[in-house]
PDB file of all heavy atoms in Angstrom:
ATOM      1  N   ARG A1062     333.131  16.758 -73.866  1.00 94.00           N
ATOM      2  CA  ARG A1062     333.128  17.749 -74.954  1.00 94.00           C
ATOM      3  C   ARG A1062     332.036  18.805 -74.768  1.00 94.00           C
ATOM      4  O   ARG A1062     332.209  19.961 -75.114  1.00 94.00           O
ATOM      5  CB  ARG A1062     332.918  17.060 -76.309  1.00 94.00           C
ATOM      6  CG  ARG A1062     334.139  16.406 -76.888  1.00 94.00           C
ATOM      7  CD  ARG A1062     333.920  15.969 -78.332  1.00 94.00           C
ATOM      8  NE  ARG A1062     332.710  15.192 -78.542  1.00 94.00           N
ATOM      9  CZ  ARG A1062     332.628  13.868 -78.440  1.00 94.00           C
ATOM     10  NH1 ARG A1062     333.684  13.156 -78.123  1.00 94.00           N
ATOM     11  NH2 ARG A1062     331.490  13.235 -78.662  1.00 94.00           N
ATOM     12  N   GLU A1063     330.878  18.379 -74.254  1.00 94.00           N
ATOM     13  CA  GLU A1063     329.737  19.287 -74.119  1.00 94.00           C
ATOM     14  C   GLU A1063     329.825  20.163 -72.873  1.00 94.00           C
ATOM     15  O   GLU A1063     329.072  21.124 -72.737  1.00 94.00           O
ATOM     16  CB  GLU A1063     328.433  18.486 -74.100  1.00 94.00           C
ATOM     17  CG  GLU A1063     328.139  17.832 -75.441  1.00 94.00           C
ATOM     18  CD  GLU A1063     326.926  16.916 -75.383  1.00 94.00           C
ATOM     19  OE1 GLU A1063     326.306  16.765 -74.300  1.00 94.00           O
ATOM     20  OE2 GLU A1063     326.585  16.339 -76.439  1.00 94.00           O
ATOM     21  N   PHE A1064     330.709  19.846 -71.971  1.00 92.00           N
ATOM     22  CA  PHE A1064     330.851  20.631 -70.738  1.00 92.00           C
ATOM     23  C   PHE A1064     331.352  22.040 -71.047  1.00 92.00           C
ATOM     24  O   PHE A1064     332.307  22.233 -71.792  1.00 92.00           O
ATOM     25  CB  PHE A1064     331.833  19.938 -69.771  1.00 92.00           C
ATOM     26  CG  PHE A1064     332.121  20.738 -68.546  1.00 92.00           C
ATOM     27  CD1 PHE A1064     331.182  20.838 -67.533  1.00 92.00           C
ATOM     28  CD2 PHE A1064     333.328  21.422 -68.395  1.00 92.00           C
ATOM     29  CE1 PHE A1064     331.436  21.583 -66.390  1.00 92.00           C
ATOM     30  CE2 PHE A1064     333.600  22.165 -67.260  1.00 92.00           C
ATOM     31  CZ  PHE A1064     332.640  22.252 -66.257  1.00 92.00           C
ATOM     32  N   GLU A1065     330.679  23.039 -70.482  1.00 93.00           N
ATOM     33  CA  GLU A1065     331.099  24.432 -70.655  1.00 93.00           C
ATOM     34  C   GLU A1065     331.570  24.971 -69.308  1.00 93.00           C
ATOM     35  O   GLU A1065     330.782  25.042 -68.359  1.00 93.00           O
ATOM     36  CB  GLU A1065     329.943  25.285 -71.182  1.00 93.00           C
ATOM     37  CG  GLU A1065     329.546  24.935 -72.601  1.00 93.00           C
ATOM     38  CD  GLU A1065     328.545  25.915 -73.166  1.00 93.00           C
ATOM     39  OE1 GLU A1065     328.740  27.136 -72.979  1.00 93.00           O
ATOM     40  OE2 GLU A1065     327.574  25.451 -73.764  1.00 93.00           O
ATOM     41  N   PRO A1066     332.835  25.376 -69.228  1.00 93.00           N
ATOM     42  CA  PRO A1066     333.390  25.840 -67.949  1.00 93.00           C
ATOM     43  C   PRO A1066     333.008  27.297 -67.645  1.00 93.00           C
ATOM     44  O   PRO A1066     333.840  28.188 -67.644  1.00 93.00           O
ATOM     45  CB  PRO A1066     334.893  25.674 -68.142  1.00 93.00           C
ATOM     46  CG  PRO A1066     335.096  25.846 -69.612  1.00 93.00           C
ATOM     47  CD  PRO A1066     333.859  25.301 -70.263  1.00 93.00           C
ATOM     48  N   VAL A1067     331.713  27.504 -67.420  1.00 93.00           N
ATOM     49  CA  VAL A1067     331.233  28.855 -67.111  1.00 93.00           C
ATOM     50  C   VAL A1067     330.359  28.826 -65.869  1.00 93.00           C
ATOM     51  O   VAL A1067     329.772  27.802 -65.537  1.00 93.00           O
ATOM     52  CB  VAL A1067     330.427  29.476 -68.284  1.00 93.00           C
ATOM     53  CG1 VAL A1067     331.315  29.712 -69.492  1.00 93.00           C
ATOM     54  CG2 VAL A1067     329.225  28.625 -68.641  1.00 93.00           C
ATOM     55  N   LYS A1068     330.283  29.969 -65.205  1.00 91.00           N
ATOM     56  CA  LYS A1068     329.387  30.145 -64.062  1.00 91.00           C
ATOM     57  C   LYS A1068     328.261  31.052 -64.515  1.00 91.00           C
ATOM     58  O   LYS A1068     328.469  31.987 -65.286  1.00 91.00           O
ATOM     59  CB  LYS A1068     330.119  30.824 -62.901  1.00 91.00           C
ATOM     60  CG  LYS A1068     331.142  29.982 -62.205  1.00 91.00           C
ATOM     61  CD  LYS A1068     331.713  30.779 -61.039  1.00 91.00           C
ATOM     62  CE  LYS A1068     332.781  30.014 -60.315  1.00 91.00           C
ATOM     63  NZ  LYS A1068     333.300  30.786 -59.184  1.00 91.00           N
ATOM     64  N   ILE A1069     327.080  30.770 -64.004  1.00 91.00           N
ATOM     65  CA  ILE A1069     325.910  31.580 -64.329  1.00 91.00           C
ATOM     66  C   ILE A1069     325.259  31.993 -63.027  1.00 91.00           C
ATOM     67  O   ILE A1069     325.042  31.163 -62.143  1.00 91.00           O
ATOM     68  CB  ILE A1069     324.904  30.788 -65.196  1.00 91.00           C
ATOM     69  CG1 ILE A1069     325.579  30.341 -66.504  1.00 91.00           C
ATOM     70  CG2 ILE A1069     323.669  31.619 -65.475  1.00 91.00           C
ATOM     71  CD1 ILE A1069     324.752  29.406 -67.337  1.00 91.00           C
ATOM     72  N   LYS A1070     324.965  33.300 -62.909  1.00 91.00           N
ATOM     73  CA  LYS A1070     324.339  33.789 -61.686  1.00 91.00           C
ATOM     74  C   LYS A1070     323.196  34.736 -62.054  1.00 91.00           C
ATOM     75  O   LYS A1070     323.355  35.602 -62.922  1.00 91.00           O
ATOM     76  CB  LYS A1070     325.367  34.535 -60.826  1.00 91.00           C
ATOM     77  CG  LYS A1070     324.798  35.046 -59.527  1.00 91.00           C
ATOM     78  CD  LYS A1070     325.843  35.761 -58.705  1.00 91.00           C
ATOM     79  CE  LYS A1070     325.205  36.276 -57.418  1.00 91.00           C
ATOM     80  NZ  LYS A1070     326.126  37.072 -56.627  1.00 91.00           N
ATOM     81  N   LEU A1071     322.066  34.565 -61.381  1.00 89.00           N
ATOM     82  CA  LEU A1071     320.931  35.466 -61.569  1.00 89.00           C
ATOM     83  C   LEU A1071     321.290  36.828 -60.992  1.00 89.00           C
ATOM     84  O   LEU A1071     321.637  36.939 -59.826  1.00 89.00           O
ATOM     85  CB  LEU A1071     319.693  34.903 -60.876  1.00 89.00           C
ATOM     86  CG  LEU A1071     318.422  35.748 -60.953  1.00 89.00           C
ATOM     87  CD1 LEU A1071     317.957  35.933 -62.384  1.00 89.00           C
ATOM     88  CD2 LEU A1071     317.321  35.111 -60.116  1.00 89.00           C
ATOM     89  N   VAL A1072     321.228  37.861 -61.834  1.00 90.00           N
ATOM     90  CA  VAL A1072     321.598  39.205 -61.409  1.00 90.00           C
ATOM     91  C   VAL A1072     320.365  40.060 -61.141  1.00 90.00           C
ATOM     92  O   VAL A1072     320.295  40.781 -60.150  1.00 90.00           O
ATOM     93  CB  VAL A1072     322.477  39.889 -62.495  1.00 90.00           C
ATOM     94  CG1 VAL A1072     322.792  41.323 -62.123  1.00 90.00           C
ATOM     95  CG2 VAL A1072     323.733  39.100 -62.733  1.00 90.00           C
ATOM     96  N   LYS A1073     319.394  39.969 -62.037  1.00 92.00           N
ATOM     97  CA  LYS A1073     318.215  40.822 -61.901  1.00 92.00           C
ATOM     98  C   LYS A1073     316.987  40.036 -62.329  1.00 92.00           C
ATOM     99  O   LYS A1073     316.980  39.380 -63.356  1.00 92.00           O
ATOM    100  CB  LYS A1073     318.353  42.056 -62.804  1.00 92.00           C
ATOM    101  CG  LYS A1073     317.279  43.096 -62.572  1.00 92.00           C
ATOM    102  CD  LYS A1073     317.264  44.208 -63.617  1.00 92.00           C
ATOM    103  CE  LYS A1073     318.490  45.065 -63.619  1.00 92.00           C
ATOM    104  NZ  LYS A1073     318.403  46.188 -64.558  1.00 92.00           N
ATOM    105  N   LYS A1074     315.965  40.127 -61.491  1.00 92.00           N
ATOM    106  CA  LYS A1074     314.705  39.462 -61.784  1.00 92.00           C
ATOM    107  C   LYS A1074     313.637  40.539 -61.857  1.00 92.00           C
ATOM    108  O   LYS A1074     313.472  41.300 -60.910  1.00 92.00           O
ATOM    109  CB  LYS A1074     314.384  38.450 -60.674  1.00 92.00           C
ATOM    110  CG  LYS A1074     313.219  37.568 -60.951  1.00 92.00           C
ATOM    111  CD  LYS A1074     313.080  36.526 -59.849  1.00 92.00           C
ATOM    112  CE  LYS A1074     312.046  35.499 -60.242  1.00 92.00           C
ATOM    113  NZ  LYS A1074     311.958  34.435 -59.260  1.00 92.00           N
TER     114      LYS A1074
END
Side-chain angles (χ1 to χ4, degrees):
R1062 281 190 310 271
E1063 292 174 359
F1064 175 75
E1065 292 188 44
V1067 294
K1068 289 183 182 181
I1069 301 172
K1070 181 179 179 185
L1071 179 62
V1072 176
K1073 189 190 295 185
K1074 188 175 189 176

